[in-house]
Amino acid sequence: MLVGTIYAALSSGADPGDSQFSMIQMLAKTGLNGKATAAPKLWKQSARSILQTSKWGAISCLLPLLEGFDDNDQEQLINRVLEKGLQSVDGTPSDALGPLFDCIIQLAKKAMKYNVTKGCYVKTLHTVTETLLKLLQESSGSQSDQMLNEISRLLFQPQLLKEEYNRLKDDPTCQTPLRDTFRKLIFDMAGPQRPQMIQTVLCHISVGWLGVGDDKKEWGLNAIPYRDDLVELLVYKEASQTKKQDLPTLGVSQLPLQTPGLSIARVFVLCFLERLPDVSKLDPEVLTKLIHPLIFALLNKAKPGSGSSPAQVMRGTAMYCTKIRAWQALVLLSRFVTNEIADNVCEACLKSFNETTHNQIRYFIELYFIILSNAHPATFAEAFLRDIAQPNLSNQHISSLMIIAGNLVLNAKCKLDCFDKEADKKLLRPLLASLLPWLGSTQGFTRAIAQLLCFELVPQVVPNIDDQSIAPSLAAEENDWFLKVTYNFLKDNREMTRLRSKKQAYFEQYDLDFSLENLLQIPVDDADEADPRHVVDAVKEALRATYEEAHGEDAPLWKQIEELTVTTLDGDDDSDNDSDDENENKTHTNSTAIVQRKIIPLDSLNLALEDLKEKRFTNAAGTTKQRLCVCASLVDKVPNLGGLARTSEIFAAESLVVPDKRVKIDSTFKSLSVGASDWINMEEVKEENLLSWLLYKKHQQGYWIVGLEQTSSSVPLHKIRMPSKETPIVLLLGKEKEGIPVDLLQAVDQCIEIPQFGMIRSLNVHVSGAICIWEFTKKWKSFD
């Protein structure tokens, strides 16, 4: 009762006179009488709550009034009271946590002030941080948010971070209570499900990382101990869309307005890195111990997968997110690449070109190489020339090199002097010599860019080539006759003239002055990842437009209905062969049959990317395919896969998904499928990747996922209702004995079962799949 009265009086502004010192000592020792064992439990809980609230609330009111007392006396009192407070955490009721927290924050500020030069400082700081985290874990709601803000404000001050950095510099094995607290808050307590905590912590510590005062020479030193954490945060993605937290506005970092909801954590880190001064004004230790290790760690995260032909990463997966975000961060860190690391960075970039990746990722790899080519031409330009001269580059590899060459030669914003200046003509001839063979490429994109580049470079190599009075000679003594003839052809050809008129649009999105603001202005896809328009798409459209302008109504029928009849040369979407010739397999035709043909469009860019491949909408017989994807990734017996391939092709299914495409060369499969694999699109998805594939199909491509499995909510096969004829469907088949695993059922929209009337309660998976395919076919045809 007395403690409550003291608290009430102090809260109302009562003056304790000179007794505040003794009152704090008395209040710190106050507790419930242990003899009150006979009191009801509820009474004891209420009494404890009132006592703890009043006790710590009163101490909080008295602590600011200690300023006039002797420093040594204050230090001893504060350390004793702080020890009592730390001991009281476990026994304090939840509704008294607020006053106890406020009191410990005040005590911690004073304790750190008095102990900062003493050996006990780190121990005190460690104890304080552990206690504050324990109180934070016990709190909830708005109280938790307020506590986290106060903890971050107290601990992540530039001065304290600098002190810990200096201690680590002297002794790498010393205790790091601030870094330990940061990691517990970010990676343990917050995690993917509580992004608001990460926002609050980062808005404070990102200012602390910059350092104290306006001396930019020391900016970034405080972040060196957090190097590994920065790498993870630069590729971090929140688990779900969340509104931005109402953060404090004074003394903290502010997020750009256009920051996506799934990129808040990494944007805080990118803001910090963007505020660092350029290399000339940066502390060498920040460069060598923070920035350069960051660059190599990000390159490691973005590196190609293992093996000679690593599998393509599926869009929307965690690996895709890591790769694209790593390359984005590398682009923004490109100004810190110095001559000391340029060779290693260049080598890593060139290796990445050979990986099968989506255009969204390749855009940032190419931009990174273009920026660094301008910053370090001696390293990157010469490495580029060596690379493009190789005769057996993959389609994606040469495509990226052509895009880079186009920017370095044709883009005014990125043009490289060594490919333009009179004094550096020694590099022009090797570049031109490397480009000339690609004029005959079977890949439309590569050929088009090679034509543009050769037309631009030949006049710089051959003098007076535009002089009409000098006709090109085919005589043996004419060294440049081939270049002159080629140039004149490219110059006078109408289709090439049309293509050149559009060339600037191909490269205008590449800019050396790429900033965080530029990154955030790029449109995003459904997964909140950057979705820039790639040069491949621009050239693809230009080639089509050029063809239409040149031929108009004279275009053959196959070209006019290209989007309905496209196939690849060997009938397999994974082929690496491209051709612009009209290859046709001619067969008989009559009034009831359609000519069976394999048609290669003018611009079959087949870059081995799923999102760039032309999709086949009719089968070899000319029948429109039904939007049914039969997924047999869980089926491991070759005879069943062979039967499913045969059935899927007969009923014009869109595709068949198998666990391993090498099954196509199995003799048993060939025998049972009777060549069906030559006519149906087969896709490989292994069981461990099946869940992410199903979710991608469902959320990114709009497929309706149907699982053949008996569950409490499954419906008989004949009663299922298809949403519409246009709705694409994935029919998921289970394992031969176990069925569909539980973890995959979460991706299924509807489970179906086949009614059975006999004693044997199971069907072979091929037979079950065939029955379902036929039932879907009947329903699909009923829409006509």
Side-chain angles (χ1 to χ4, degrees):
M1 195 72 179
L2 174 62
V3 175
T5 303
I6 294 173
Y7 179 41
L10 292 172
S11 300
S12 301
D15 183 4
D18 295 330
S19 60
Q20 56 265 50
F21 202 92
S22 57
M23 289 178 67
I24 290 175
Q25 289 178 315
M26 181 270 292
L27 289 168
K29 298 176 181 179
T30 303
L32 280 178
N33 190 340
K35 297 180 180 179
T37 54
K41 183 178 180 181
L42 182 60
W43 183 92
K44 288 192 290 186
Q45 290 177 343
S46 300
R48 184 181 298 110
S49 178
I50 294 171
L51 174 64
Q52 295 291 341
T53 301
S54 302
K55 168 183 174 178
W56 296 112
I59 293 176
S60 296
C61 294
L62 291 168
L63 284 174
L65 305 177
L66 292 178
E67 295 302 327
F69 288 84
D70 180 73
D71 286 348
N72 291 330
D73 293 339
Q74 282 194 59
E75 179 185 348
Q76 294 177 14
L77 175 64
I78 287 169
N79 287 333
R80 285 199 301 268
V81 177
L82 180 59
E83 184 179 353
K84 286 286 185 181
L86 304 182
Q87 295 171 356
S88 302
V89 173
D90 293 330
T92 301
S94 58
D95 51 1
L97 290 177
L100 175 58
F101 177 84
D102 293 339
C103 191
I104 290 180
I105 286 287
Q106 289 191 55
L107 290 167
K109 289 178 181 178
K110 292 180 175 295
M112 287 188 285
K113 171 186 172 183
Y114 289 120
N115 296 329
V116 69
T117 58
K118 299 182 179 180
C120 62
Y121 167 73
V122 176
K123 181 180 179 181
T124 300
L125 188 57
H126 178 77
T127 306
V128 167
T129 55
E130 289 293 317
T131 305
L132 292 175
L133 290 180
K134 187 179 293 187
L135 285 167
L136 180 63
Q137 288 176 313
E138 297 293 330
S139 63
S140 60
S142 59
Q143 184 186 52
S144 176
D145 295 337
Q146 183 181 359
M147 285 185 178
L148 179 61
N149 187 48
E150 290 298 324
I151 292 172
S152 301
R153 189 196 308 275
L154 170 70
L155 299 181
F156 303 131
Q157 300 176 51
Q159 297 90 340
L160 297 182
L161 294 173
K162 180 68 178 296
E163 189 278 332
E164 186 164 278
Y165 160 71
N166 288 330
R167 282 191 292 104
L168 264 176
K169 189 176 178 180
D170 296 335
D171 179 12
T173 64
C174 71
Q175 283 190 314
T176 55
L178 298 182
R179 187 175 64 182
D180 295 343
T181 301
F182 171 81
R183 289 175 175 173
K184 287 178 182 177
L185 288 170
I186 295 290
F187 301 113
D188 296 339
M189 295 178 64
Q193 304 303 325
R194 299 181 68 184
Q196 296 88 348
M197 288 188 68
I198 299 177
Q199 296 176 37
T200 302
V201 172
L202 288 177
C203 82
H204 285 280
I205 199 169
S206 56
V207 173
W209 284 333
L210 283 176
V212 184
D214 297 327
D215 185 7
K216 293 186 177 182
K217 194 69 177 177
E218 294 190 358
W219 280 18
L221 286 171
N222 295 351
I224 292 176
Y226 299 83
R227 181 178 61 212
D228 296 338
D229 308 302
L230 293 178
V231 174
E232 297 304 318
L233 288 170
L234 283 170
V235 298
Y236 180 85
K237 184 174 184 177
E238 285 76 359
S240 60
Q241 281 279 2
T242 56
K243 67 177 183 179
K244 295 170 193 172
Q245 183 81 340
D246 292 331
L247 300 172
T249 57
L250 296 176
V252 297
S253 292
Q254 299 296 316
L255 285 174
L257 293 177
Q258 62 270 45
T259 302
L262 301 184
S263 298
I264 293 175
R266 70 160 182 154
V267 171
F268 268 120
V269 180
L270 290 173
C271 285
F272 155 68
L273 294 171
E274 193 169 58
R275 291 185 64 185
L276 291 176
D278 290 332
V279 172
S280 60
K281 299 179 181 178
L282 195 66
D283 189 296
E285 198 165 355
V286 176
L287 186 67
T288 57
K289 293 188 178 180
L290 176 65
I291 303 299
H292 285 175
L294 272 181
I295 290 173
F296 286 118
L298 290 168
L299 285 170
N300 187 58
K301 283 189 172 291
K303 71 180 180 181
S306 58
S308 57
S309 299
Q312 179 183 334
V313 177
M314 189 179 298
R315 287 185 69 179
T317 61
M319 181 57 69
Y320 176 88
C321 164
T322 296
K323 282 180 174 289
I324 193 169
R325 292 184 174 219
W327 282 114
Q328 290 167 4
L330 285 165
V331 171
L332 295 175
L333 289 171
S334 58
R335 64 191 176 105
F336 297 111
V337 174
T338 59
N339 292 331
E340 291 77 14
I341 66 169
D343 287 332
N344 293 330
V345 172
C346 182
E347 181 182 357
C349 288
L350 293 176
K351 286 181 179 178
S352 296
F353 288 141
N354 206 37
E355 181 185 18
T356 301
T357 53
H358 292 274
N359 280 348
Q360 290 81 357
I361 297 177
R362 297 192 80 80
Y363 170 83
F364 292 103
I365 304 176
E366 292 154 3
L367 178 59
Y368 190 54
F369 196 94
I370 291 166
I371 293 173
L372 292 179
S373 295
N374 277 266
H376 305 279
T379 298
F380 283 80
E382 293 184 9
F384 171 80
L385 287 175
R386 291 193 299 270
D387 207 44
I388 200 172
Q390 299 181 60
N392 297 312
L393 298 175
S394 68
N395 285 337
Q396 276 214 320
H397 195 149
I398 187 57
S399 296
S400 287
L401 294 180
M402 285 294 175
I403 290 169
I404 292 168
N407 277 278
L408 299 181
V409 173
L410 301 173
N411 186 355
K413 295 181 289 187
C414 307
K415 203 166 187 178
L416 204 59
D417 289 342
C418 63
F419 291 150
D420 183 50
K421 280 186 178 179
E422 186 76 20
D424 291 317
K425 274 192 174 180
K426 61 181 182 180
L427 294 181
L428 286 178
R429 279 190 175 272
L431 176 60
L432 184 58
S434 300
L435 292 170
L436 285 170
W438 295 106
L439 291 173
S441 172
T442 58
Q443 187 192 25
F445 171 82
T446 299
R447 187 173 62 252
I449 301 299
Q451 290 168 351
L452 291 172
L453 290 169
C454 288
F455 182 81
E456 183 77 15
L457 292 174
V458 169
Q460 299 184 50
V461 173
V462 181
N464 304 318
I465 196 168
D466 284 316
D467 190 342
Q468 299 299 322
S469 63
I470 305 177
S473 170
L474 302 184
E477 62 270 13
E478 177 64 80
N479 292 330
D480 293 321
W481 68 266
F482 176 75
L483 294 180
K484 292 180 179 179
V485 171
T486 302
Y487 175 79
N488 286 332
F489 177 85
L490 295 175
K491 176 183 176 183
D492 298 332
N493 183 270
R494 288 179 297 175
E495 292 186 13
M496 277 308 304
T497 302
R498 293 188 182 97
L499 196 61
R500 285 197 299 274
S501 68
K502 302 177 176 65
K503 68 179 181 181
Q504 192 56 41
Y506 307 154
F507 307 110
E508 62 185 6
Q509 67 265 45
Y510 293 88
D511 195 337
L512 298 180
D513 297 324
F514 191 84
S515 65
L516 177 58
E517 182 180 0
N518 299 132
L519 173 62
L520 297 178
Q521 288 175 350
I522 296 175
V524 297
D525 57 21
D526 293 337
D528 225 15
E529 296 298 342
D531 192 14
R533 187 168 185 260
H534 197 259
V535 172
V536 167
D537 302 314
V539 174
K540 184 177 180 179
E541 293 173 7
L543 287 170
R544 284 177 172 167
T546 300
Y547 187 92
E548 292 169 2
E549 290 172 12
H551 299 279
E553 296 181 356
D554 295 332
L557 177 62
W558 67 264
K559 184 61 187 177
Q560 297 180 34
I561 59 173
E562 175 183 336
E563 61 273 13
L564 299 178
T565 56
V566 175
T567 67
T568 52
L569 185 60
D570 65 351
D572 187 338
D573 276 351
D574 288 327
S575 170
D576 283 332
N577 296 322
D578 292 289
S579 175
D580 293 323
D581 299 326
E582 297 179 44
N583 270 335
E584 302 181 359
N585 290 337
K586 300 179 179 178
T587 64
H588 296 338
T589 182
N590 55 36
S591 58
T592 60
I594 299 176
V595 175
Q596 180 176 342
R597 61 200 315 194
K598 291 182 180 178
I599 299 171
I600 306 303
L602 171 71
D603 187 34
S604 180
L605 294 180
N606 194 0
L607 301 180
L609 286 181
E610 190 175 317
D611 57 333
L612 292 177
K613 292 175 185 172
E614 298 288 354
K615 294 184 178 176
R616 296 177 291 170
F617 293 100
T618 59
N619 66 5
T623 304
T624 302
K625 289 184 177 182
Q626 56 175 315
R627 301 298 305 279
L628 176 64
C629 174
V630 180
C631 181
S633 290
L634 300 174
V635 179
D636 55 9
K637 293 184 178 178
V638 174
N640 286 332
L641 291 172
L644 284 168
R646 184 173 182 175
T647 305
S648 299
E649 197 284 324
I650 286 174
F651 291 111
E654 182 179 84
S655 61
L656 173 66
V657 181
V658 296
D660 191 338
K661 284 184 67 174
R662 290 175 296 181
V663 72
K664 291 196 296 185
I665 63 176
D666 185 277
S667 58
T668 303
F669 179 89
K670 289 181 178 180
S671 174
L672 289 169
S673 66
V674 292
S677 60
D678 293 333
W679 305 109
I680 187 171
N681 176 33
M682 291 183 64
E683 181 180 353
E684 178 181 310
V685 178
K686 298 190 181 297
E687 182 179 349
E688 56 266 28
N689 301 324
L690 185 54
L691 178 58
S692 61
W693 180 85
L694 289 170
L695 293 174
Y696 174 76
K697 284 286 187 183
K698 179 176 182 177
H699 297 302
Q700 303 297 323
Q701 296 186 347
Y703 276 76
W704 192 45
I705 313 296
V706 178
L708 180 56
E709 182 65 74
Q710 287 183 326
T711 67
S712 59
S713 60
S714 58
V715 300
L717 174 61
H718 62 284
K719 292 185 178 181
I720 190 172
R721 293 186 177 183
M722 293 170 57
S724 68
K725 185 175 182 178
E726 292 74 26
T727 301
I729 297 173
V730 170
L731 173 61
L732 176 62
L733 303 176
K735 298 181 179 180
E736 276 91 342
K737 294 182 180 180
E738 294 88 353
I740 299 176
V742 175
D743 63 318
L744 296 179
L745 290 176
Q746 62 178 297
V748 173
D749 295 305
Q750 178 67 65
C751 284
I752 56 173
E753 59 182 68
I754 300 173
Q756 301 172 26
F757 308 101
M759 295 298 294
I760 301 175
R761 304 300 294 172
S762 66
L763 286 168
N764 173 275
V765 68
H766 165 224
V767 175
S768 299
I771 293 172
C772 292
I773 292 170
W774 171 237
E775 185 64 31
F776 278 115
T777 303
K778 290 194 296 181
K779 294 184 182 296
W780 177 64
K781 296 294 289 183
S782 69
F783 283 104
D784 294 337

